[in-house]
Amino acid sequence: MLQHPQRLGDPVAFTVNFAAAVADGGFAIRARPARTNRSTQHWIIEMLQGEEVVATGTALTALRRPTWGGHELPMPEAPRPQDVARVTRRGVAWLERYEMRFLLGMIPRDWDGQGASDSLSRLWVRDDPPRPLDFASLAALCDVFFPRIWLRRARQTPLGTVSMTVYFHAGAAQLQAAGAGYLLAQARGQGFGSGYFDHTGQLWSEQGELLATTHQVMYYKE
């Protein structure tokens, strides 16, 4: 979508729904503008492997105009990222692509069923190797959080993301200002039961700018 010659403006909202597991190998992305207005554009996106759809998505892009602005959720106080130890976990390729420095809410050290009463996590994070922030990398960083049910139960519950939405509160200039620096990211679960749970999250730049908020629903089984 970002590379599409017909794109109007920058992303404001993006939702992806995971319809099936993505297999190793090639895939194709189909993105088309379903409706273009004077300052907004609505997109339909599909990810295919062979003839099978494995994920669907919708997006809203728009021309951002100067208006009054403000945020009701301030950036939490936190030590500098350089003063927080980096967490190193090997063996999973996804984890090796990010530099994570946890302030609270790391996944349990012992899977003993003695979980926490609160699933709040907060960490400094950036791509590894570092890269200048853009909309694609910000959307990926919104999916950096471990499943909240692992914190609550301290049990390796089988699960998978079903749907994820990202709301972009920053334009291209603000992402450029963030550069390759760290983002302060936090997430907290909200409801658990009947095989599904959700969490909400926020990401700020080192300068305290709210860049994105995110919401995710996951499936789990006993």
Side-chain angles (χ1 to χ4, degrees), residues 119-120 148-149 152 187-193 196-202 214-217:
S119 66
L120 176 64
R148 303 292 90 195
I149 198 169
R152 288 294 308 272
R188 170 177 267 145
Q190 298 189 117
F192 303 79
Y196 293 90
F197 69 92
D198 73 335
H199 77 235
T200 185
Q202 303 84 31
T214 183
H215 206 101
Q216 187 167 145
V217 175

Side-chain angles (χ1 to χ4, degrees), residues 72-168:
E72 294 192 14
L73 190 63
M75 178 178 173
E77 293 186 7
R80 299 184 313 156
Q82 296 83 357
D83 296 333
V84 181
R86 178 177 180 175
V87 173
T88 302
R89 284 179 173 264
R90 298 299 178 186
V92 179
W94 166 73
L95 294 177
E96 296 174 5
R97 300 297 182 267
Y98 294 99
E99 179 182 338
M100 300 182 182
R101 299 173 181 266
F102 272 83
L103 303 170
L104 55 88
M106 179 59 179
I107 59 174
R109 184 180 301 273
D110 300 311
W111 299 97
D112 56 5
Q114 303 297 312
S117 59
D118 190 302
S119 66
L120 176 64
S121 288
R122 187 174 297 144
L123 69 152
W124 288 108
V125 62
R126 66 176 177 178
D127 286 288
D128 187 9
R131 55 170 283 188
L133 191 66
D134 57 21
F135 289 106
S137 60
L138 180 56
L141 284 159
C142 284
D143 194 27
V144 78
F145 305 106
F146 295 112
R148 303 292 90 195
I149 198 169
W150 286 359
L151 277 70
R152 288 294 308 272
R153 303 187 76 190
R155 184 178 299 171
Q156 292 180 324
T157 309
L159 46 75
T161 300
V162 178
S163 182
M164 172 183 166
T165 295
V166 177
Y167 297 112
F168 299 95

